Amino acid sequence: MLKTTGATFLAIATSFFILLFSPPPKSYYHSLFISSSLSDNASISHHLRTLTRRPHVAGSQANAEAASYVLSTLSACNIKAHIVSYDVLLTYPYSRSLTLTPSPSEPPITFDLKQEIYEGDPYADVADEVLPTNHAYAKSGSVVGPVVYVNYGRVEDYGTLKEMGVNVTGTVVLARYGEIYRGDIVMNAFEAGAIGALVYTDRKDYGGGGGDAKWFPDDKWMPPSGIQVGTVYNGSGDPTTPGWASSEGCERVSIEEVESSGDVPLIPSMPISGADGETILRLIGGQIAKDNWQGSIDAPTYRVGPGPGVVNLEYNGKQVIATIQNVMGVIEGVEEPDRFVILGNHRDAWTFGAVDPNSGTAALLEVAQRLQKLQRSGWKPRRTIILCNWDAEEYGLTGSTEWVEENRDLLASRAVAYLNVDCAVSGAGFHASGTPQLDDLLKQAAQQVQDPDNSSQTIYEQWIQSTESSLIGRLGGAGSDYAAFLQHIGVPAADMRFGAEYPVYHSMYDDYTWMEKFGDPMFHRNVAVASVWGLVALRLADEEFLPFNYHSYALELQKRAEDLENEISDKGITFSPLFKSIEELSKAARKINNQKKEIKEAKGWTSMRRNDHVKVRELNDRLMMAERAFTDRDGLLRRPWYKHLIYAPSRHNDYGSTSFPGIDDAIENAKNLNTAESWHVVQHEVWRVARAVKHASLVLDGKLT
């Protein structure tokens, strides 16, 4: 009896000892991470001001200095940090000119193609360091032709012009930026027969709508001289190393091979200001454009042409193999160091980059500093956390793509998820996109963080009130650095930000002053982004069971498949194999959720928990690897780098987010050709996706057939 009593006392004493002296649960540290005691809006403001004091385009000395700042900040946080360099093909403008001849009897108008500094501009002393306005990877050449106005330059816009009897062949098109990726604007122009393309920012979309609207620095809108620059490359990564890393001394394809790839434009193009765009529009005759093609309330009447105004566009670029630098920071996991939770943001900017991308860089450094404070409090991650600051994203997601290509096999076997923040803040309102198994996690994180614009509610409450369509977007577009992770190797991914599109995007007015006045005056939104971003990462790194729910994935695929079936219901295409595979995925998702629940319920004392680690690891591996099964080694038809059959860009809009891109592309082609063979390709693509979904269900199930 005494022995039993003694044993019982010892067990109770041991339990109290464990409770008193064991480290706090991981949830304690997660709550601490998002607390006001750890966040620091002044520090974020300082980081942003430092990073944006000079323009820092990829390959420049200023961007190398920004890399050194990020490296030193990570190192100061006791995070093992290093630089990974690649030698990649970048382009810079050598010379450019644009003239407009109103009529044969009138002298030409010469455009200066400059963005004007404003009175009191604090960056006037470094304004000459801003790269002359251009399109990266634009075709060099000189073209002369009458102008045709093509609205946003979409495929459907050219369809409208064809219906109007307007022939685009041999003309220089004028398109306004807004609905699709600029590279697709130029590509669509080439396919329509144009010899050159001009892309401008319309006051209706970016200038406040005209009338009495003010512009920066008095308001948030783009000034009349503002020019949105950017890349027109339609690929990912270094164009000379398609599919492999641009390491020193590597194999490279020739410039001729790059041009024949279809990923770089074959006609010259140039970005121009809204003021210059209106000047050209005033000298275009012909039929009046449709109402929804017109501009702001005080803009001239838009006509489609062609002519009589004739444009002379000259552009010469220089191609350089330049060194880019990714900055990497690693916090090694204690229990599962071979499982990676990856956070990424890019550093390079076309100009000052206060919103794009350095609001995200400042948030990344804020996350790093908070993680250091957690480590001082005793926190250690279960899995490894990797902080990535990419270079040359603006040229074509280059830094992240080269790193993923170099580390493809290791990442494919070990990466849990990739969490991206590009433009962390451009205004109010939280937005998130991701692969569907992360939906619940994103919502739960948003429920724990206070809305920076209304302290009486959470971000989640603001989010659901302001969203009319789907709460969480998808990552089908290739708009940021998640592309290589998700669309090339199949790593679950998410992207988040405050604010949507902003008027001074990719212009020299995207500076610290704009952010301080209009984007986030108190830098509380920047703090909130860092909180959600870091909290999602902590849960993925620390929780024993990965917080994935593939039931959400099955529901998403079912809805999208039904939409496609309804779209072509009269074409004899059967979606039954896809629906069958989705049902199998749904069953596998329910099964693994139940298995997770059973293991949790079976857990007892700590001594018993050790016996379950193999089961937990095996279940987590299935959750992690299921996304990989949605990829196909052959990739999309004519776009083999994109391996993911569920999420990839639309063929005519690199920013466009679609589900089942291979099916979408095949349907578009079949509608144009309307042949038995083209519709057979649609059916084949349905089968391909059905097989991929079935593979994902088998991975989740964890058993061989």
Side-chain angles (χ1 to χ4, degrees):
M1 183 70 178
L2 286 173
K3 288 183 179 179
T4 305
T5 304
T8 303
F9 176 79
L10 180 62
I12 294 171
T14 301
S15 299
F16 275 114
F17 180 85
I18 292 171
L19 288 171
L20 286 171
F21 296 101
S22 62
K26 292 294 178 67
S27 58
Y28 162 79
Y29 294 110
H30 299 176
S31 297
L32 182 61
F33 179 86
I34 61 175
S35 68
S36 58
S37 62
L38 261 65
S39 62
D40 190 346
N41 60 330
S43 175
I44 290 180
S45 171
H46 170 74
H47 290 316
L48 187 63
R49 187 187 291 275
T50 302
L51 289 161
T52 60
R53 62 187 177 188
R54 293 172 61 193
H56 48 286
V57 71
S60 68
Q61 179 59 34
N63 200 37
E65 292 171 4
S68 296
Y69 178 79
V70 173
L71 180 70
S72 64
T73 303
L74 293 178
S75 298
C77 295
N78 291 321
I79 294 173
K80 295 178 182 177
H82 63 283
I83 285 177
V84 180
S85 299
Y86 298 100
D87 298 325
V88 302
L89 178 71
L90 302 180
T91 69
Y92 303 99
Y94 179 73
S95 65
R96 70 215 207 291
S97 66
L98 181 67
T99 60
L100 171 68
T101 303
S103 69
S105 61
E106 296 178 83
I109 299 167
T110 300
F111 299 100
D112 65 13
L113 306 176
K114 291 182 179 179
Q115 302 182 83
E116 298 173 0
I117 61 173
Y118 55 90
E119 186 177 349
D121 185 349
Y123 299 100
D125 60 328
V126 291
D128 60 349
E129 295 182 25
V130 174
L131 207 62
T133 54
N134 75 106
H135 283 153
Y137 301 111
K139 174 77 172 176
S140 291
S142 175
V143 294
V144 179
V147 187
V148 170
Y149 170 57
V150 297
N151 196 25
Y152 293 107
R154 301 166 296 185
V155 172
E156 56 264 39
D157 293 328
Y158 287 100
T160 298
L161 289 170
K162 187 176 180 180
E163 292 173 0
M164 296 172 69
V166 177
N167 185 5
V168 178
T169 302
T171 68
V172 176
V173 302
L174 176 68
R176 54 181 174 180
Y177 189 81
E179 292 294 321
I180 63 173
Y181 168 59
R182 75 188 69 78
D184 290 308
I185 293 176
V186 180
M187 196 70 71
N188 293 344
F190 169 75
E191 292 180 355
I195 58 173
L198 300 171
V199 185
Y200 79 103
T201 47
D202 197 297
R203 277 193 294 163
K204 181 179 179 180
D205 300 311
Y206 295 91
D212 296 328
K214 297 180 180 179
W215 52 80
F216 185 70
D218 298 315
D219 207 333
K220 68 178 183 178
W221 302 106
M222 178 81 94
S225 70
I227 301 174
Q228 182 194 130
V229 302
T231 187
V232 288
Y233 176 47
N234 279 299
S236 291
D238 182 354
T240 67
T241 60
W244 64 90
S246 298
S247 52
E248 185 178 356
C250 69
E251 176 191 9
R252 295 184 186 275
V253 302
S254 67
I255 298 300
E256 291 74 23
E257 289 173 294
V258 170
E259 291 186 347
S260 66
S261 69
D263 288 332
V264 295
L266 298 177
I267 58 174
S269 67
M270 186 181 293
I272 61 174
S273 68
D276 291 348
E278 281 199 9
T279 297
I280 296 172
L281 281 161
R282 292 179 190 277
L283 295 171
I284 296 178
Q287 300 175 62
I288 295 176
K290 296 168 60 177
D291 288 346
N292 59 359
W293 287 38
Q294 295 296 325
S296 56
I297 53 176
D298 56 349
T301 299
Y302 292 2
R303 296 176 180 269
V304 296
V310 173
V311 157
N312 185 336
L313 186 167
E314 291 188 27
Y315 175 76
N316 289 291
K318 53 184 177 181
Q319 299 168 329
V320 178
I321 298 295
T323 299
I324 63 170
Q325 298 177 314
N326 294 335
V327 184
M328 319 296 290
V330 180
I331 304 174
E332 190 166 319
V334 174
E335 297 168 71
E336 297 184 76
D338 60 341
R339 292 294 178 262
F340 307 149
V341 175
I342 306 170
L343 293 76
N345 152 269
H346 76 96
R347 179 186 66 259
D348 65 296
W350 287 120
T351 61
F352 297 96
V355 173
D356 182 10
N358 297 131
S359 61
T361 313
L364 184 73
L365 297 179
E366 165 74 2
V367 169
Q369 289 173 325
R370 290 197 217 175
L371 293 179
Q372 180 195 25
K373 294 172 184 176
L374 287 190
Q375 287 180 300
R376 288 175 178 169
S377 300
W379 166 82
K380 296 177 181 179
R382 179 187 183 95
R383 303 179 184 93
T384 295
I385 295 175
I386 304 176
L387 306 176
C388 310
N389 186 228
W390 310 115
D391 201 351
E393 186 269 359
E394 296 292 5
Y395 276 84
L397 316 178
T398 308
S400 58
T401 298
E402 299 309 310
W403 190 75
V404 169
E405 290 176 344
E406 184 168 50
N407 298 282
R408 180 188 295 113
D409 293 336
L410 203 58
L411 291 170
S413 63
R414 298 185 179 186
V416 171
Y418 175 72
L419 308 174
N420 190 69
V421 171
D422 189 327
C423 306
V425 178
S426 60
F430 182 72
H431 301 271
S433 300
T435 44
Q437 76 274 61
L438 296 175
D439 285 1
D440 290 350
L441 178 58
L442 289 167
K443 292 174 186 175
Q444 290 160 11
Q447 287 168 351
Q448 290 183 252
V449 179
Q450 185 182 85
D451 177 9
D453 296 302
N454 184 348
S455 60
S456 67
Q457 64 182 8
T458 64
I459 288 176
Y460 181 76
E461 289 170 319
Q462 169 272 313
W463 192 10
I464 58 175
Q465 292 167 13
S466 62
T467 304
E468 296 179 359
S469 56
S470 299
L471 187 65
I472 298 175
R474 300 302 169 210
L475 297 175
S480 195
D481 290 301
Y482 53 77
F485 290 91
L486 172 61
Q487 297 162 3
H488 189 56
I489 63 172
V491 174
D495 182 85
M496 59 200 79
R497 65 183 294 173
F498 263 86
E501 294 183 0
Y502 65 106
V504 297
Y505 173 67
H506 281 194
S507 75
M508 68 176 281
Y509 307 107
D510 181 6
D511 61 18
Y512 182 88
T513 302
W514 190 93
M515 175 64 78
E516 191 177 39
K517 293 182 72 172
F518 306 112
D520 191 12
M522 299 301 295
F523 290 88
H524 290 157
R525 295 168 187 158
N526 280 270
V527 167
V529 169
S531 294
V532 177
W533 193 10
L535 182 58
V536 171
L538 284 170
R539 290 194 56 191
L540 288 167
D542 284 342
E543 291 194 6
E544 187 175 20
F545 294 92
L546 291 178
F548 290 174
N549 183 3
Y550 277 88
H551 186 61
S552 299
Y553 222 128
L555 292 174
E556 178 85 5
L557 298 187
Q558 179 75 19
K559 180 180 182 301
R560 180 58 180 148
E562 289 173 355
D563 291 342
L564 282 177
E565 184 182 44
N566 292 333
E567 182 183 341
I568 55 172
S569 58
D570 59 339
K571 300 301 181 182
I573 304 299
T574 176
F575 281 78
S576 57
L578 180 53
F579 288 125
K580 182 180 178 182
S581 293
I582 293 171
E583 177 56 30
E584 291 174 358
L585 179 66
S586 183
K587 289 178 181 178
R590 288 194 295 269
K591 182 178 178 181
I592 199 169
N593 287 345
N594 289 334
Q595 290 172 340
K596 187 191 299 186
K597 184 178 179 182
E598 289 168 6
I599 296 174
K600 285 181 178 180
E601 291 175 348
K603 289 183 178 297
W605 298 95
T606 304
S607 59
M608 294 177 62
R609 292 171 63 91
R610 296 195 189 106
N611 298 326
D612 292 326
H613 77 275
V614 174
K615 287 183 180 179
V616 173
R617 171 84 168 193
E618 188 274 337
L619 185 145
N620 281 337
D621 283 352
R622 286 187 273 147
L623 290 168
M624 181 180 75
M625 297 302 293
E627 187 73 51
R628 316 286 197 271
F630 291 125
T631 63
D632 183 286
R633 63 171 170 256
D634 295 330
L636 297 178
L637 186 64
R638 293 188 292 276
R639 296 188 290 155
W641 187 86
Y642 294 104
K643 308 294 185 187
H644 208 282
L645 299 190
I646 309 300
Y647 295 116
S650 164
R651 194 168 72 88
H652 287 285
N653 181 11
D654 205 51
Y655 287 165
S657 178
T658 61
S659 301
F660 309 134
I663 301 177
D664 263 355
D665 288 348
I667 289 174
E668 181 184 4
N669 187 57
K671 284 180 176 179
N672 289 332
L673 299 178
N674 201 26
T675 62
E677 182 180 356
S678 64
W679 287 109
H680 176 74
V681 173
V682 174
Q683 186 66 75
H684 172 65
E685 290 296 330
V686 172
W687 276 108
R688 286 185 75 198
V689 175
R691 288 190 288 269
V693 175
K694 180 178 176 62
H695 292 159
S697 67
L698 290 172
V699 172
L700 277 184
D701 193 52
K703 293 181 179 179
L704 296 171
T705 56

